[in-house]
Amino acid sequence: MNDWTAFGRVDADGTVYVKTAEGDRVVGSWQAGTPEEGLAHFARRFADLVTEVDLVEARLKSGAADASHSLTSVKRLRTQLDEAHVVGDIDGLVARLERLAGLADEKAGEAKAAREVARVEALARKTALVEEAEAIAADATGWKTAGDRLKEILDDWKSIRGVDKKTDGELWKRFAAARDGFTRRRGAHFATLDGQRKQAQTAKEDLVTEAETLSSSTEWSSTANRLKDLMTEWKAAPRAAKEAEQRLWERFRAAQDAFFTRRSEVFSARDAEYQGNLEKKQAILADLEAVDVDADSRGAQNKLRDAQAAWHEAGRVPREAAAGLDRRWRAVEERIRVAMDSAWRKTAPQDNPLLRQMRDQVAEAEQRLERAKAAGDNRRIKEAEQALASKKQFLALAEQAN
């Protein structure tokens, strides 16, 4: 037996892992002996699976087993490997089973093809004629040419022998239905052409009306999506009469252009605002990053507190810059927190004026939040909640440090 234990490991708590290309996977726990004994136990389980695969492979290659049965066994073993409590070369066995699955599938296909060859040969010609007739019935618009071809198909049909009665009857029903369907479609085509054009005009007038209504919307995302859908519907709709089609298209396109022009102007203004906000926040960060926290941790903490309000008031920034700013802000907060922690450790809790000051700041932040809620100002509520959470975090860290 191969040394399957090389594909496993046992942690100090007895958890057993198997190594795979996708990473280590837990397969069990071993508490009854040494790690080596545990690995050997789970490796024997893997060896049992390998033996079973060997047997399936031998029977498949010798022809002693039915290929479809072998394929079922291979799929079962492959499924078991995903959660098997074993230690061994899982990836290698998976690859082997996949090769066996391909071989079994190939042999099963050959057997099936052999059984079907006689029936396929007998049905091939009539089936092809039926399918051609159905294609003509569904899609043909060259009415005279298609009608002549259906007559030729009928003559060919009558010359074919050897199909069993039941199957022949089923195919004949399909052919007759196709021929009748073509006849009806050809008769209806010219009678309905004018009606279709009128219906197309009505449908496009509805699309134009909706587009013109949406042209003044400020729901940018949903309206843009709906206008795109309307364009798709326009392209899918049949054409109206030439003059009506052109007139409706000019109105439809003008409505779309009006909306997207306004959206572009608004987005440009918003981008400019976000860029200005970014510059404000970069300046705030640069000021904080320049503070010597080791020389004056209290001053640094006060400066951070003042900066928090300015930070929230600065507003949103371009999405691509937000993550970088947040990382720099957290780094500044952490640097000041560490410096404060070091300073507070040198002062008894009852004598620590910073703790008293921070508790006062928390109380003040709570009052500010209540005033914002009373005013119903969502922006102020959000800013007050963020400021309160930050102050509570600093107070909790300070109290723990003391």
Side-chain angles (χ1 to χ4, degrees):
M1 181 183 74
N2 291 326
D3 184 13
W4 302 123
T5 61
F7 291 88
R9 64 182 179 86
V10 180
D11 275 357
D13 63 357
T15 302
V16 182
Y17 296 83
V18 64
K19 301 175 182 177
T20 71
E22 296 180 355
D24 293 358
R25 172 167 63 85
V26 176
V27 296
S29 178
W30 181 257
Q31 307 293 337
T34 66
E36 291 76 14
E37 292 172 339
L39 289 174
H41 169 75
F42 285 94
R44 284 192 293 273
R45 291 185 178 181
F46 182 76
D48 291 340
L49 287 177
V50 172
T51 300
E52 189 172 355
V53 173
D54 290 340
L55 179 59
V56 171
E57 183 176 19
R59 289 175 57 81
L60 176 63
K61 290 184 176 180
S62 67
D66 180 85
S68 61
H69 293 168
S70 296
L71 182 59
T72 300
S73 297
V74 168
K75 290 180 178 179
R76 173 180 56 80
L77 288 167
R78 175 63 185 87
T79 300
Q80 289 177 355
L81 275 181
D82 290 336
E83 298 181 359
H85 302 294
V86 298
V87 168
D89 186 4
I90 297 290
D91 297 326
L93 194 55
V94 165
R96 185 179 172 190
L97 284 170
E98 288 176 351
R99 290 193 297 270
L100 283 177
L103 178 61
D105 189 57
E106 180 181 354
K107 288 182 175 293
E110 291 172 353
K112 182 178 180 181
R115 290 192 300 268
E116 289 290 323
V117 65
R119 186 181 67 84
V120 169
E121 290 176 351
L123 292 176
R125 289 184 63 194
K126 281 198 172 181
T127 299
L129 292 175
V130 168
E131 290 174 350
E132 183 182 357
E134 289 173 337
I136 290 173
D139 301 322
T141 55
W143 306 112
K144 184 178 186 306
T145 301
D148 292 342
R149 178 54 189 156
L150 285 175
K151 293 178 182 179
E152 294 172 358
I153 289 175
L154 179 59
D155 293 337
D156 291 342
W157 181 280
K158 294 176 180 178
S159 68
I160 299 173
R161 300 289 185 272
V163 179
D164 65 273
K165 185 175 181 181
K166 179 181 178 182
T167 304
D168 189 76
E170 292 172 351
L171 290 172
W172 172 254
K173 288 180 181 179
R174 289 174 58 187
F175 172 73
R179 185 176 58 176
D180 292 344
F182 171 79
T183 301
R184 288 193 301 271
R185 192 164 62 87
R186 180 178 56 185
H189 170 73
F190 296 103
T192 60
L193 187 58
D194 289 340
Q196 289 175 350
R197 287 177 175 172
K198 291 180 181 179
Q199 291 174 358
Q201 181 173 339
T202 300
K204 289 190 172 181
E205 286 173 346
D206 291 340
L207 295 177
V208 169
T209 299
E210 184 175 354
E212 290 174 339
T213 300
L214 292 173
S215 66
S216 60
S217 172
T218 57
E219 298 293 333
W220 307 118
S221 178
S222 59
T223 303
N225 290 334
R226 180 53 187 156
L227 286 173
K228 291 176 182 177
D229 291 340
L230 290 178
M231 178 64 78
T232 300
E233 294 176 27
W234 179 283
K235 292 178 179 178
R239 291 181 63 84
K242 184 176 180 180
E243 292 183 1
E245 180 80 12
Q246 181 62 30
R247 174 175 48 81
L248 290 171
W249 169 250
E250 290 174 357
R251 289 174 55 195
F252 182 71
R253 192 62 192 175
Q256 295 233 353
D257 289 345
F259 170 80
F260 286 109
T261 297
R262 285 193 310 107
R263 187 185 70 161
S264 179
E265 293 171 352
V266 170
F267 282 11
S268 295
R270 186 179 66 183
D271 290 345
E273 177 187 352
Y274 284 5
Q275 184 61 35
N277 296 344
L278 173 61
E279 293 172 359
K280 292 178 184 178
K281 287 192 172 183
Q282 288 174 332
I284 293 171
L285 279 171
D287 191 26
L288 286 175
E289 289 167 343
V291 172
D292 186 352
V293 297
D294 295 325
D296 185 6
S297 59
R298 180 184 301 181
Q301 193 273 338
N302 291 334
K303 195 171 188 65
L304 175 63
R305 183 191 63 229
D306 295 339
Q308 286 172 336
W311 181 271
H312 294 304
E313 289 174 0
R316 293 185 176 182
V317 300
R319 180 179 300 177
E320 63 274 11
L325 287 177
D326 288 342
R327 284 194 297 271
R328 289 175 62 190
W329 180 266
R330 288 194 297 270
V332 168
E333 286 185 327
E334 178 64 14
R335 189 161 65 93
I336 294 175
R337 184 195 66 77
V338 170
M340 290 176 61
D341 183 65
S342 176
W344 292 335
R345 289 182 184 278
K346 301 175 183 178
T347 306
Q350 64 274 17
D351 298 328
N352 193 328
L354 287 178
L355 286 178
R356 292 196 299 271
Q357 181 182 4
M358 293 179 72
R359 293 189 184 101
D360 292 341
Q361 291 173 356
V362 169
E364 181 183 349
E366 290 174 339
Q367 293 174 2
R368 188 179 298 111
L369 176 59
E370 291 302 320
R371 290 195 297 271
K373 289 181 177 179
D377 189 329
N378 291 332
R379 184 182 65 81
R380 287 175 54 199
I381 291 173
K382 182 177 180 181
E383 293 173 354
E385 288 176 340
Q386 292 173 341
L388 177 59
S390 177
K391 294 180 186 300
K392 284 185 174 181
Q393 179 184 14
F394 275 116
L395 177 58
L397 292 172
E399 290 174 341
Q400 291 174 5
N402 281 272

